[in-house]
Amino acid sequence: MVCLGNICRSPLAEGILKHKIRQRGLDWTVDSAGTGHWHAGEVPDGRSIAVARRYGIDITDQRARQFQPADFERFDRIFVMDTQNLREVLRLAREAEHRAKVQLMLDLTHPGQDRSVPDPYYDDDGFEVVFRMLDSACDTLFHD
Ligand code: 4NP
């Protein structure tokens, strides 16, 4: 799960997916990262922590980190939150096999529409909407 700062959207995506995985007793590896380094080491934004908590999910153990090229090897699928993240991550991909792992998160619910998860950083009311988008997108991962 990749966004810009790894403090708002992708920590929510990580927390939601891990929660669903736990509920189903699955053993998948999930992590999140930001294309930027500015917030590395920080806990998620308090507004992300709060919305997750309202849905019974604790994301306070997460710490932000920057996306690394090694992540292309570590993960089978890489979900990016918006088209800027998509460009940044693809810029780091050196192999077609790596590029093929990268996908917009909202392609899961709205295939082919190039939809982005809006950056809620400057919009206190955006976190609830973002949570619901990510929750629906994560649900689709269990359908196949
Ligand atoms: P995120 O949100 O990419 O969803 O973690 C942001 C967090 C911080 C900044 C931008 C977006 N920032 O500019 O510091």
Side-chain angles (χ1 to χ4, degrees), residues 8-26:
C8 296
R9 291 165 292 178
S10 58
L12 275 178
E14 176 186 336
I16 291 166
L17 186 54
K18 282 182 169 170
H19 184 70
K20 293 180 188 298
I21 288 167
R22 244 191 328 272
Q23 285 176 329
R24 289 164 173 79
L26 297 169

Side-chain angles (χ1 to χ4, degrees), residues 3-11 39 119-122:
C3 63
L4 175 60
N6 193 209
I7 55 168
C8 296
R9 291 165 292 178
S10 58
H39 295 282
D119 182 350
Y121 193 63
Y122 296 105

Side-chain angles (χ1 to χ4, degrees), residues 2-11 33-35 38-39 45 47-48 81-82 85 117-122 127 130:
V2 181
C3 63
L4 175 60
N6 193 209
I7 55 168
C8 296
R9 291 165 292 178
S10 58
T35 58
W38 314 282
H39 295 282
D45 188 286
R47 297 164 295 178
S48 284
M81 298 298 133
D82 64 31
N85 310 147
V117 178
D119 182 350
Y121 193 63
Y122 296 105
F127 284 78
V130 165

